Amino acid sequence: MEFLKAFLCGGLLCVIGQLLIDKTSLTPARILVTYVVSGVVLGGLGLYKYVVEFGGAGATVPLTGFGYLLAKGVRTAVEERGLLGALTGGVTAAAGGITAAIFFGYLVALVCKPKSKS
């Protein structure tokens, strides 16, 4: 049942993104930013945790989950370090994912040979 909930939650987020691409004039970059900001806002308001409880990885893996992670990290760091935590908490919480993205991106760049578009 956990896999079904994750599939439904992640699938719904993808459907919303696809509808935004098809039905609006928003660029994919703006949609991605909207997803991250939505995760931050919903995480900051304490609402996204209910989505995470229901959807599990279907809610934490997409970009909204990244925004939620940033908000959660800031909240935790502010409780521990005060106002300085507002500046450092998000990056500290997401450091593992950011590092993995940079490492694997670099690894793929070494293995694959890019070709010119022209």
Side-chain angles (χ1 to χ4, degrees):
M1 194 63 171
E2 183 177 340
F3 293 120
L4 180 62
K5 287 180 179 181
F7 176 78
L8 290 174
C9 186
L12 179 63
L13 289 170
C14 291
V15 166
I16 293 169
Q18 190 64 48
L19 287 173
L20 288 172
I21 290 171
D22 292 343
K23 303 294 183 188
T24 68
S25 61
L26 292 173
T27 63
R30 288 187 178 177
I31 294 170
L32 296 176
V33 169
T34 301
Y35 266 42
V36 173
V37 171
S38 298
V40 170
V41 170
L42 292 173
L45 295 173
L47 300 175
Y48 201 75
K49 66 180 176 184
Y50 300 113
V51 178
V52 171
E53 288 174 6
F54 173 79
T60 57
V61 172
L63 286 171
T64 49
F66 179 68
Y68 168 69
L69 178 65
L70 292 174
K72 186 176 170 186
V74 167
R75 179 180 290 159
T76 303
V78 166
E79 290 172 359
E80 293 174 358
R81 298 184 195 102
L83 189 58
L84 184 61
L87 303 173
T88 62
V91 176
T92 303
I98 293 169
T99 303
I102 292 171
F103 173 76
F104 288 112
Y106 180 72
L107 190 65
V108 168
L110 289 177
V111 173
C112 299
K113 300 294 179 200
K115 296 180 183 176
S116 176
K117 289 186 176 184
S118 55

